[in-house]
């Protein structure tokens, strides 16, 4: 059973460097970097690498949440809509709290200048709650995850329009500048945040009983249920985690744009799925490694960035993404057969 | 009972004489000053009246609810750079590099730049042009004019990228050009708010940035080439007031919060806000999509049997509305068997054909053929940075264009053009 891949940490440690060397995604990333260095004097510039890592942070956060759900054999199509909605609700609710406290946290018509702490907490709670709601629908009401999250996607987009009346909120303040532009040892804060969160999530999946049960559900849900595990609550938890990651992604995303509005990030759920698949996550569930997904996020962003550096039109970029995805899925299947 | 007195007769004759004289003066004035200033004068006049209040309850309520005043007050209306006066017939004809269609671009003489090498002839200047929508006729035409202008200068290299309506992707493209140390960037932003930060980053890196048509939230941007949204909505209102005094309306609008919707619809409502006979029956956001405009109009036709006016903020919406009206066989279903008045923006060739056929009643041209102005402006900014010339103004207004109607009309001093007189229509020809 594939669960062993995620649970046999000692085996991973034993193989050490050899295991890392055998990671195809790592080689792909290195190849892209070498190719970039050879073909453009700008590719390995600090500014470009920082741009690349900032993009990887956003798609990596969405893909991490998506992976957790995919591991259970389900899918979350609402991640991008949730990402935008959680930030919009955070602005609306924080502004309302500000008004109740007699503080003016919406200035110049639609610029948010409220408490970042309250804003972040509400955003994370909203994202998690939306995720949990999806999970309840899927686990307890037995709605197919595709349908449940597709409905959420549509509803959240509609609610986002209602909450904003179609207009943008501008996000001003030191917190958004920090999250968007700050560097730690030359690395963007948003990417450091991704790495830290992946570290925690990986530890949760590979070193806790709850994490292992998510793999078990994805591997064989009926057997897991018959072994006395209440699968429903773990399914809800996986969707809640996906919502949490989406909300963090929303903070990173909107900090970079210094604004949020309902129409943003359309179709980003597909990018999240693509990266998870590139990272070797099986759509059928039961297997997946967050480190590989993280590497895939960097590889995906590095590849797109290289194409942009070369001046390749976006429709060829889309074609390249499709070709790489097909290749990745084929290689994964071949690998599993072997 | 109607009384016909001598005093009333004299008053009536005097009024007609004054009106005719005013019309004549205004028309003469329009020719002397150019339609741009005449329309700006009307914008100022109607805006002032609207600020004093709107007697039409239905119009006033919508105007208030959607906060049009905030948008309209912030939208610049002003004179053209270097005292330029645009006249019909001006401009250059060429084949669009992307669309492969013949184009007559109206403003190629505006902020002019002679053909040949620019600035330092020994240097090659790299300019990035990013926009959305290689699948949209209006936007392809925009890219056509930008690429055409760049091709006129052998030491200018242009990279044209379609960000596919993803604001984040557009930001990434700009960031990549900053990393590649491009000399200048021209962009067509879909939405204002998200494009401010990437533009600011480019400006901070010393790269001039010019936006065309729509605006960004950046206050540092080098120049903004602005469209004539205000004149568009205004002329839809002027036409409606001219041909109809009352009736129920259905509105097909763009994204709430988009410049195109807020200024065009707002200006339209300002003009009709003090005409009591109009009533807004349906108000839909069909977001530049023909299919959505078709659906909303079809729904409205089902719900109401006395629609007199179909207002559309764009050409795609107008075509969708017309399709729905035709399919329902309701073109002449306004009260008393009259035709539903269909108002449009965007002078696509297919819209002009419908005007010539008498199906759409008027269109306010909103030409996409302004990419060339953006390229010339950014080259001049690069030149200003290098100390070779003066910088162009920050706000570059594009000339207001007169509305197009089936037959020649003079409405409040604005002489309309007929489809045959209009060589600037964009998009594929329709038979």
């Amino acid at each position: 059973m594939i669960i062993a891949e995620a649970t046999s940490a000692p085996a991973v440690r034993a193989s050490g460097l050899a295991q890392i060397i055998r990671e195809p995604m790592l080689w792909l990333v290195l190849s892209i970097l070498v190719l970039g260095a050879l073909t453009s004097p700008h590719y390995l510039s600090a500014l470009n690498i920082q741009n690349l890592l900032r993009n990887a942070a956003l798609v990596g956060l969405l893909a991490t949440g998506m992976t957790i759900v995919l591991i259970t054999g389900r899918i979350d199509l609402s991640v991008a809509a949730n990402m935008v909605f959680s930030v919009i609700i955070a602005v609306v609710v924080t502004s309302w709290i500000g008004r109740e406290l007699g503080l003016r946290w919406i200035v110049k018509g639609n610029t948010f200048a409220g408490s970042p702490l309250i804003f972040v907490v509400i955003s994370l709670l909203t994202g998690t709650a939306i995720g949990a709601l999806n999970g309840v629908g899927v686990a307890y009401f037995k709605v197919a995850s595709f349908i449940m999250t597709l409905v959420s996607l549509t509803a959240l987009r509609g609610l986002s329009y209602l909450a904003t009346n179609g207009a943008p909120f501008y996000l001003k303040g030191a917190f958004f500048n920090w999250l968007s532009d700050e560097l730690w040892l030359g690395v963007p804060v948003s990417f450091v945040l991704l790495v830290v969160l992946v570290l925690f999530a990986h530890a949760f999946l590979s070193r806790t009983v709850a994490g292992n049960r998510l793999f078990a559900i994805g591997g064989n849900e009926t057997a897991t249920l018959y072994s006395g595990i209440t699968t429903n609550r773990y399914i809800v938890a996986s969707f809640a985690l996906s919502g949490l990651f989406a909300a963090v992604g929303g903070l990173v995303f909107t900090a970079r744009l210094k604004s949020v509005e309902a129409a943003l990030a359309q179709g980003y759920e597909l990018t999240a799925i693509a990266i998870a698949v590139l990272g070797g996550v099986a759509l059928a569930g039961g297997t997946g490694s967050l480190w590989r997904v993280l590497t895939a996020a960097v590889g995906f962003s590095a590849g797109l960035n290289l194409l942009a550096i070369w001046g390749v039109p976006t429709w060829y970029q889309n074609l390249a993404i499709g070709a790489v995805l097909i290749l990745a899925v084929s290689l994964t299947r071949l690998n599993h057969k072997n | 009972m109607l009384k016909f007195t001598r005093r009333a007769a004299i008053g009536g004759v005097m009024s007609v004489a004054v009106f005719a004289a005013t019309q004549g003066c205004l028309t003469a004035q329009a020719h002397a000053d150019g339609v741009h200033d005449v329309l700006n004068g009307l914008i100022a006049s109607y805006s002032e009246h609207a600020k004093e209040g709107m007697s039409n309850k239905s119009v006033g309520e919508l105007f208030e609810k959607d906060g049009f005043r905030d948008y309209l007050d912030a939208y610049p209306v002003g004179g053209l750079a270097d005292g330029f006066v645009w006249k019909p017939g001006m401009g250059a004809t060429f084949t669009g590099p992307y669309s492969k269609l013949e184009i007559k671009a109206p403003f190629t003489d505006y902020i002019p730049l002679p053909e040949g090498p620019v600035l330092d002839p020994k240097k090659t200047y790299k300019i990035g042009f990013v926009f959305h929508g290689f699948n949209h006729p209006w936007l392809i035409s925009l890219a056509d004019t930008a690429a055409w202008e760049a091709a006129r200068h052998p030491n200018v290299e242009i990279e044209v990228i379609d960000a596919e309506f993803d604001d984040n992707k557009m930001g990434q493209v700009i960031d990549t050009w900053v990393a590649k140390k491009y000399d200048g960037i021209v962009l067509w932003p879909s939405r204002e708010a998200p494009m401010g930060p990437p533009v600011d980053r480019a400006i901070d890196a010393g790269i001039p940035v010019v936006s065309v048509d729509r605006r960004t939230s950046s206050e540092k941007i080098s120049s903004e080439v602005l469209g004539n949204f205000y004149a568009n909505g205004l002329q839809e209102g002027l036409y409606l007031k001219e041909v109809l005094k009352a009736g129920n309306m259905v509105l097909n609008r763009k994204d709430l919060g988009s410049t195109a919707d807020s200024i065009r619809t707002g200006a339209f409502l300002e003009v009709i806000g003090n005409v009591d006979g109009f009533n807004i029956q349906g108000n839909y956001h069909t977001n530049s999509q023909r299919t959505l405009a078709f659906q909303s109009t079809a729904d409205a036709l089902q719900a109401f049997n006395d629609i007199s006016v179909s207002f559309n903020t764009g050409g795609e919406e107008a075509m969708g509305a017309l399709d729905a009206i035709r399919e329902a066989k309701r073109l002449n279903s306004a009260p008393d068997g009259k035709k539903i008045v269909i108002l449009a923006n965007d002078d696509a060739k297919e819209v002009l054909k419908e005007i010539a056929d008498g199906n759409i009643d008027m269109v306010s041209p909103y030409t996409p053929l302004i990419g060339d102005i953006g390229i010339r402006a950014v080259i001049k900014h690069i030149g200003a940075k290098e100390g070779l010339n003066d910088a162009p103004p920050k706000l570059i207004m594009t000339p207001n264009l007169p509305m197009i109607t089936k037959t020649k009309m003079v409405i409040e001093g604005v002489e309309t053009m007929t489809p045959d007189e209009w060589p600037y229509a964009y998009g594929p020809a329709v038979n």
Side-chain angles (χ1 to χ4, degrees):
Chain A
M1 189 155 159
I2 303 165
I3 298 170
E5 179 189 304
T7 53
S8 57
V12 172
R13 277 198 297 273
S15 41
L17 190 64
Q19 192 82 356
I20 293 171
I21 288 169
R22 273 171 33 205
E23 287 293 334
M25 191 47 66
L26 206 59
W27 286 107
L28 182 67
V29 172
L30 283 173
S31 308
I32 293 169
L33 292 177
V34 170
L35 196 60
L38 291 175
T39 54
S40 168
H42 308 294
Y43 190 71
L44 288 188
S45 68
L47 183 61
N48 195 54
I49 294 296
Q50 285 157 10
N51 285 341
L52 185 163
L53 293 179
R54 283 192 185 97
N55 298 334
L58 169 65
V59 292
L61 284 163
L62 287 182
T64 303
M66 181 69 76
T67 298
I68 295 170
V69 172
L70 286 173
I71 282 170
T72 68
R74 286 158 178 86
I75 199 160
D76 186 355
L77 296 178
S78 69
V79 284
N82 193 359
M83 170 172 101
V84 173
F85 180 74
S86 59
V87 175
I88 286 173
I89 289 302
V91 173
V92 171
V93 175
T94 310
S95 309
W96 175 78
I97 291 171
R99 274 198 304 277
E100 292 299 304
L101 296 174
L103 299 166
R104 200 158 162 256
W105 281 348
I106 285 281
V107 294
K108 286 194 217 163
N110 58 345
T111 299
F112 175 76
S115 157
L117 182 67
I118 300 175
F119 170 83
V120 169
V121 170
I122 292 171
S123 176
L124 298 182
L125 287 176
T126 306
T128 310
I130 296 291
L133 210 63
N134 280 333
V136 168
V138 170
Y140 291 99
F141 293 96
K142 306 298 174 200
V143 182
S145 60
F146 183 88
I147 303 296
M148 183 70 209
T149 56
L150 187 64
V151 170
S152 295
L153 182 162
T154 314
L156 293 176
R157 289 283 179 200
L159 286 170
S160 295
Y161 270 101
L162 282 175
T164 59
N165 203 23
F169 285 120
Y170 290 90
L171 307 172
K172 300 277 182 204
F175 168 73
F176 298 108
N177 293 339
W178 173 81
L179 190 56
S180 161
D181 306 329
E182 189 70 25
L183 301 171
W184 281 350
L185 301 170
V187 180
V189 156
S190 52
F191 188 74
V192 175
L193 185 66
L194 169 69
V195 174
V196 170
L197 288 176
V198 166
L199 187 74
F200 277 115
H202 181 76
F204 166 73
L205 286 177
S206 60
R207 291 173 189 273
T208 66
V209 174
N212 284 331
R213 284 179 179 169
L214 294 183
F215 282 100
I217 290 167
N220 190 333
E221 190 168 349
T222 312
T224 312
L225 190 64
Y226 286 170
S227 63
I229 296 166
T230 48
T231 55
N232 284 350
R233 70 175 65 164
Y234 292 102
I235 292 166
V236 173
S238 72
F239 277 95
L241 279 172
S242 175
L244 177 66
F245 273 93
V248 179
L251 294 173
V252 167
F253 181 67
T254 54
R256 191 71 179 147
L257 299 175
K258 305 281 192 300
S259 64
V260 63
E261 56 190 296
L264 292 174
Q266 310 253 9
Y268 277 41
E269 56 280 346
L270 298 180
T271 305
I273 295 167
I275 289 170
V277 169
L278 269 179
V281 180
L283 291 174
T287 183
S289 155
L290 288 182
W291 287 118
R292 286 189 192 128
V293 171
L294 175 65
T295 321
V298 174
F300 186 87
S301 301
L304 278 186
N305 182 265
L306 181 59
L307 294 174
I309 284 276
W310 284 344
V312 175
T314 39
W315 51 86
Y316 289 116
Q317 293 183 23
N318 296 337
L319 191 67
I321 293 169
V324 169
L325 266 176
I326 290 170
L327 193 69
V329 173
S330 309
L331 285 176
T332 309
R333 287 193 69 83
L334 276 176
N335 201 22
H336 283 179
K337 271 187 183 173
N338 294 336
Chain B
M1 188 179 155
L2 188 68
K3 283 186 182 174
F4 185 81
T5 63
R6 203 173 133 191
R7 190 177 169 181
I10 292 170
V13 169
M14 289 283 284
S15 301
V16 169
V18 168
F19 179 75
T22 313
Q23 292 289 301
C25 281
L26 281 174
T27 308
Q29 193 68 18
H31 286 297
D33 294 347
V35 69
H36 183 82
D37 293 333
V38 173
L39 284 168
N40 277 357
L42 289 166
I43 287 168
S45 163
Y46 276 103
S47 185
E48 202 175 305
H49 282 121
K51 279 176 188 167
E52 287 165 9
M54 289 186 178
S55 60
N56 185 314
K57 193 167 170 263
S58 161
V59 172
E61 277 175 3
L62 179 64
F63 191 86
E64 190 65 30
K65 180 177 87 65
D66 283 358
F68 286 112
R69 175 53 54 214
D70 296 337
Y71 295 104
L72 291 168
D73 283 351
Y75 194 75
V77 175
L80 302 176
D82 304 325
F84 180 74
V85 176
W86 182 82
K87 304 272 187 200
M90 288 174 104
T93 303
F94 53 89
T95 301
Y98 297 108
S99 65
K100 310 295 178 203
L101 298 170
E102 185 171 292
I103 285 171
K104 174 142 186 174
F107 307 135
T108 53
D109 305 309
Y110 188 36
I111 310 181
L113 203 55
E115 194 164 353
V118 294
L119 309 177
D120 182 349
K122 285 178 263 163
K123 281 170 80 173
T124 298
Y125 296 94
K126 289 190 173 177
I127 295 172
F129 180 85
V130 60
F131 76 123
H132 301 282
F134 255 127
N135 55 354
H136 192 292
W138 196 95
L139 292 158
I140 296 171
S141 302
L142 178 78
D144 270 341
T145 45
W148 171 79
E149 180 64 45
R152 293 174 69 229
H153 312 292
N155 63 336
V156 170
E157 279 181 12
I158 188 168
E159 184 177 323
V160 177
I161 293 287
D162 176 2
E164 299 176 316
F165 291 96
D166 179 347
D167 298 297
N168 186 46
K169 188 183 277 185
M170 185 175 273
Q172 289 171 13
V173 168
I174 292 172
D175 287 339
T176 304
W177 286 339
V178 171
K180 286 169 80 175
K181 298 183 168 57
Y182 268 36
D183 296 293
I185 294 170
V186 180
L187 77 154
W188 179 82
S190 174
R191 277 174 281 270
E192 287 182 21
M195 295 327 299
V199 168
D200 285 347
R201 291 195 287 271
I203 297 283
D204 291 344
I207 300 171
V209 182
V210 172
S211 65
V212 288
D213 175 31
R214 297 187 181 188
R215 311 185 78 184
T216 73
S217 59
S218 170
E219 289 172 5
K220 299 177 183 172
I221 194 162
S222 311
S223 277
E224 295 174 287
V225 178
L226 294 166
N228 38 30
F229 288 125
Y230 220 132
N232 288 161
L234 173 100
Q235 292 188 89
E236 289 184 280
L238 293 180
Y239 180 87
L240 183 61
K241 249 172 49 119
E242 180 76 11
V243 300
L244 216 59
K245 298 298 169 212
N248 292 322
M249 295 189 289
V250 172
L251 315 183
N252 282 318
R253 295 167 53 190
K254 291 184 186 288
D255 270 343
L256 191 64
S258 69
T259 318
D261 178 63
S262 48
I263 306 302
R264 281 176 177 163
T265 310
F268 170 71
L269 297 179
E270 274 189 335
V271 176
I272 61 163
N274 284 303
V275 182
D276 292 336
F278 294 118
N279 174 48
I280 297 168
Q281 256 180 340
N283 174 35
Y284 309 100
H285 290 280
T286 55
N287 306 345
S288 308
Q289 291 181 35
R290 190 180 294 208
T291 46
L292 285 179
F294 177 90
Q295 265 173 19
S296 66
T297 309
D299 291 346
L301 290 166
Q302 284 283 328
F304 312 112
N305 58 8
D306 53 355
I307 297 169
S308 295
V309 183
S310 166
F311 165 87
N312 301 279
T313 48
E316 288 293 309
E317 291 92 322
M319 290 304 298
L322 175 63
D323 288 345
I325 292 168
R326 272 200 288 230
E327 190 175 274
K329 297 187 172 45
R330 293 273 300 272
L331 200 58
N332 296 308
S333 68
D336 302 328
K338 287 185 181 161
K339 180 187 171 297
I340 294 178
V341 176
I342 303 175
L343 310 171
N345 285 292
D346 302 334
D347 48 330
K349 283 178 183 155
E350 62 174 340
V351 174
L352 260 61
K353 182 188 176 293
E354 297 299 345
I355 287 182
D357 292 348
N359 295 323
I360 292 179
D361 296 83
M362 66 77 71
V363 64
S364 286
Y366 191 81
T367 182
L369 308 172
I370 57 172
D372 54 316
I373 307 175
I375 298 296
R376 292 195 293 275
V378 86
I379 289 172
K380 291 201 177 230
H381 274 292
I382 298 166
K385 202 177 120 188
E386 295 183 350
L388 299 171
N389 56 254
D390 291 334
K394 180 152 185 169
L395 292 179
I396 301 173
M397 319 299 299
T398 51
N400 294 327
L401 300 172
M403 68 180 106
I404 301 165
T405 51
K406 186 179 180 182
T407 53
K408 203 92 176 154
M409 299 169 79
V410 177
I411 303 172
E412 300 203 28
V414 180
E415 188 177 323
T416 71
M417 308 283 288
T418 63
D420 291 340
E421 292 174 331
W422 195 251
Y424 308 111
Y426 65 89
V430 183
N431 295 320

